[in-house]
Amino acid sequence: MSPLHNFPRQPTQFWGRKEELADIVRLISDPNCQLLTLAGFGGCGKTRLATEVAERKNTDFPDDVFFVPLSPLTGSEQIILQIGYVLAYQFAEEREHVEQLVDYLSNKCMLLVLDNFDHLLDGADVLIPLLAGAPQLKLLVTSREPLELDDEWHRHIGGLDYPRKDTETEIEHYSTVQLFLDHARRVRADFSLTRERLYIIRICRMVEGHPLAIELAAAWLKRLSCADICTEIERGIDFLETNKRDVPPRQRSIRAVFDSTWQQLDDAERSL
């Protein structure tokens, strides 16, 4: 298996999601599926899941697999230019950019992961000529909501599995607990699952398996006990935040995730 050359480095192990992963790999392998959107709330792990799929399927695409980050874009008119930039394709001035890209991709067997499409949904139809003109092209999209295109296949992504009762045993088999322990031991090498079992269950349950929330909660172990973290989460979601410099601003707190989603709603959706 060749490495994914332009994908973001993953500092942690991939936890859980065996059923989702198998389902998405199956869909990507379906010759009738050219466009698959992984849709779910912010911080649920869509990008990490898409990267894992790309890792497992990259040998199926002779013309390679590319990661196209869309979060830096400010308008949908930049989508085609961003794809071209990632592919190192040089556009000519005398023709429409989308026509040139279609010509370039027409005979390519390639997978493009278009990450964070949600703020560019008004330009989703720019993908239609790419799909029509490049029959061996596959697009794996991450977004907080579907693109609403006829050719789109859709897979909802939720939280990780978590223990539902305080009395559960062998909780280390839950992917939420594995994720919490992985991050907890980064800040406290002596962290013990046995001593903190009850509070770990409650933290995972209170955040309903939300991966980003679990990571943010575990980071507080530098200063607080698991019992204190439970108490703070009960008081409000604003507690779940971090000041780490290598975390994108939109993922530095659960409040930031909520606010970025709120800004993308229209007036009718906000009223509802």
Side-chain angles (χ1 to χ4, degrees), residues 114-181:
L114 307 181
D115 187 52
N116 287 306
F117 210 108
D118 33 276
H119 65 299
L120 305 171
L121 292 175
D122 62 321
D125 56 357
V126 77
L127 303 181
I128 297 174
L130 297 185
L131 298 171
Q136 297 184 86
L137 176 68
K138 300 262 186 178
L139 301 180
L140 180 58
V141 176
T142 70
S143 177
R144 297 188 187 186
E145 56 184 304
L147 308 189
E148 303 297 347
L149 297 176
D150 284 342
D151 288 334
E152 179 183 32
W153 295 42
H154 168 235
R155 182 63 162 83
H156 174 73
I157 307 301
L160 298 171
D161 60 311
Y162 59 92
R164 308 290 171 141
K165 299 179 181 178
D166 288 351
T167 55
E168 288 198 44
T169 59
E170 299 182 353
I171 64 170
E172 60 271 18
H173 297 305
Y174 287 97
S175 49
T176 45
V177 175
Q178 294 168 350
L179 179 63
F180 186 90
L181 289 175

Side-chain angles (χ1 to χ4, degrees), residues 221-250:
L221 288 169
K222 287 182 285 188
R223 303 178 185 175
L224 302 175
S225 68
C226 280
D228 292 334
I229 292 171
C230 281
T231 300
E232 294 297 335
I233 293 175
E234 288 174 343
R235 290 175 179 170
I237 64 169
D238 289 325
F239 166 74
L240 294 172
E241 62 179 356
T242 182
N243 292 320
K244 289 184 178 179
R245 296 183 177 88
D246 57 349
V247 176
R250 58 187 172 80

Side-chain angles (χ1 to χ4, degrees), residues 29-244:
S29 302
D30 191 322
N32 296 309
C33 177
Q34 258 194 292
L35 168 61
L36 174 61
T37 300
L38 308 183
F41 48 80
C44 73
K46 301 182 293 296
T47 300
R48 186 68 180 87
L49 182 55
T51 301
E52 189 68 19
V53 172
E55 280 277 8
R56 301 193 180 204
K57 297 297 291 180
N58 68 334
T59 55
D60 291 356
F61 297 92
D63 295 305
D64 224 331
V65 176
F66 293 90
F67 182 83
V68 183
L70 301 178
S71 56
L73 307 189
T74 57
S76 57
E77 71 281 355
Q78 301 171 334
I79 295 173
I80 293 298
L81 293 174
Q82 179 74 341
I83 295 174
Y85 172 78
V86 169
L87 298 179
Y89 177 76
Q90 298 293 322
F91 290 101
E93 294 298 327
E94 63 273 10
R95 291 179 59 203
E96 289 290 332
H97 291 150
V98 66
E99 293 178 3
Q100 296 179 62
L101 193 59
V102 169
D103 286 346
Y104 175 72
L105 295 172
S106 61
N107 62 352
K108 295 285 194 297
C109 182
M110 181 184 293
L111 172 65
L112 299 182
V113 176
L114 307 181
D115 187 52
N116 287 306
F117 210 108
D118 33 276
H119 65 299
L120 305 171
L121 292 175
D122 62 321
D125 56 357
V126 77
L127 303 181
I128 297 174
L130 297 185
L131 298 171
Q136 297 184 86
L137 176 68
K138 300 262 186 178
L139 301 180
L140 180 58
V141 176
T142 70
S143 177
R144 297 188 187 186
E145 56 184 304
L147 308 189
E148 303 297 347
L149 297 176
D150 284 342
D151 288 334
E152 179 183 32
W153 295 42
H154 168 235
R155 182 63 162 83
H156 174 73
I157 307 301
L160 298 171
D161 60 311
Y162 59 92
R164 308 290 171 141
K165 299 179 181 178
D166 288 351
T167 55
E168 288 198 44
T169 59
E170 299 182 353
I171 64 170
E172 60 271 18
H173 297 305
Y174 287 97
S175 49
T176 45
V177 175
Q178 294 168 350
L179 179 63
F180 186 90
L181 289 175
D182 180 63
H183 283 265
R185 287 166 179 160
R186 291 172 180 229
V187 297
R188 278 177 46 188
D190 62 342
F191 185 81
S192 170
L193 170 63
T194 303
R195 291 196 302 268
E196 304 284 6
R197 176 180 300 269
L198 176 60
Y199 295 111
I200 292 174
I201 291 174
R202 292 179 179 176
I203 290 170
C204 292
R205 190 168 65 235
M206 282 192 289
V207 301
E208 298 182 338
H210 189 290
L212 177 61
I214 292 168
E215 294 175 13
L216 293 172
W220 278 101
L221 288 169
K222 287 182 285 188
R223 303 178 185 175
L224 302 175
S225 68
C226 280
D228 292 334
I229 292 171
C230 281
T231 300
E232 294 297 335
I233 293 175
E234 288 174 343
R235 290 175 179 170
I237 64 169
D238 289 325
F239 166 74
L240 294 172
E241 62 179 356
T242 182
N243 292 320
K244 289 184 178 179

